[in-house]
Amino acid sequence: MINVALPKGRLGDKVYEKLAAAGYECEDLLDKKSRRLVFENAARGVRYFCVKPTDVPVYVERGAADVGIAGRDILLEYEPDVYELLDLGIGRCRMCIAGRRGFYDDTDRPLRVATKFPRIARSYYEGKGRDIDIIKLHGSIELAPILDLSDVICDIVETGSTLKENDLVVLEEVEPISARFIANKISWQFKHDAVAAMRNALAAETEDGR
Ligand code: PRP
């Protein structure tokens, strides 16, 4: 049995479609009303755990799940000790610095950066030699520059509509992001055939562009 940490929400739906196409379907997962967190298809030898996207690396790193699917943003932020085996090419978006249109950076003082991703923001600005003051938030990051809580934000931009509807613009691009298939290091050793088979089936789906 291979245990999969599946991110809940927008990304999870797309990820599950890909896993099902790759032969790891589990019909019960499609029941949106269900509050269950564990789903199993014994015939296919797969068990899914539905977890918060930011928690996927925790389950995989500690071996509660053999494999998982996590956004590159989460992997860059938490740097879990896992193997990254495949870029699934879905959940594509960009990590960006955004702010008000025409924003002017006053380099005489630290730049106030609101973000859910302090490590990514810190490392980006370290690379530029810019001193910053991190304001850690957990959501609705776009509010921060509007209320002058921060000068800019470091956040995910997918369609760009959240920025647009809040009169903000992308100022700089930090990293392209997409979903990655990750594996626990011990599972990669001891369940190698099962993990490699899942990775290869997903790779075949990804290469087909489906
Ligand atoms: C993410 C991100 C942006 C938004 C970007 O937030 O933090 O706010 O999506 O998507 P868009 O470019 O397509 O508008 P999420 O929906 O995860 O909610 P949050 O504000 O609670 O973090």
Side-chain angles (χ1 to χ4, degrees), residues 10 116 138-140 142 155-162:
R10 274 195 286 191
K116 279 189 277 194
H138 296 89
S140 305
E142 291 81 359
D155 198 17
I156 295 289
V157 177
E158 191 180 352
T159 61
S161 34
T162 311

Side-chain angles (χ1 to χ4, degrees), residues 1-4 23-26 39-48 66-67 191 194-195 198:
M1 187 66 77
I2 184 165
N3 297 305
V4 185
Y24 297 93
E25 67 282 356
C26 187
F39 296 90
E40 188 175 307
N41 181 345
R44 292 295 302 146
V46 65
R47 186 184 295 129
Y48 290 106
D66 300 303
V67 298
K191 291 191 181 178
V195 174
M198 183 176 269

Side-chain angles (χ1 to χ4, degrees), residues 18 86 199-200 202-210:
K18 199 157 264 232
L86 183 69
R199 185 237 168 250
N200 293 341
L202 284 169
E205 284 304 312
T206 302
E207 278 150 23
D208 285 356
R210 273 180 274 173

Side-chain angles (χ1 to χ4, degrees), residues 42 49 157 174:
F49 306 138
V157 177
V174 178

Side-chain angles (χ1 to χ4, degrees), residues 10-80:
R10 274 195 286 191
L11 177 62
D13 293 345
K14 288 188 208 159
V15 168
Y16 174 69
E17 269 176 37
K18 199 157 264 232
L19 281 157
Y24 297 93
E25 67 282 356
C26 187
E27 292 293 310
D28 296 349
L29 256 170
L30 296 171
D31 178 6
K32 294 279 168 214
K33 280 175 278 168
S34 172
R35 296 291 297 162
R36 262 171 63 195
L37 299 170
V38 180
F39 296 90
E40 188 175 307
N41 181 345
R44 292 295 302 146
V46 65
R47 186 184 295 129
Y48 290 106
F49 306 138
C50 298
V51 311
K52 214 174 138 90
T54 45
D55 291 340
V56 168
V58 180
Y59 286 85
V60 176
E61 184 176 34
R62 291 178 173 265
D66 300 303
V67 298
I69 295 87
R72 181 164 150 76
D73 50 334
I74 309 291
L75 300 176
L76 288 171
E77 184 61 30
Y78 298 100
E79 293 184 352

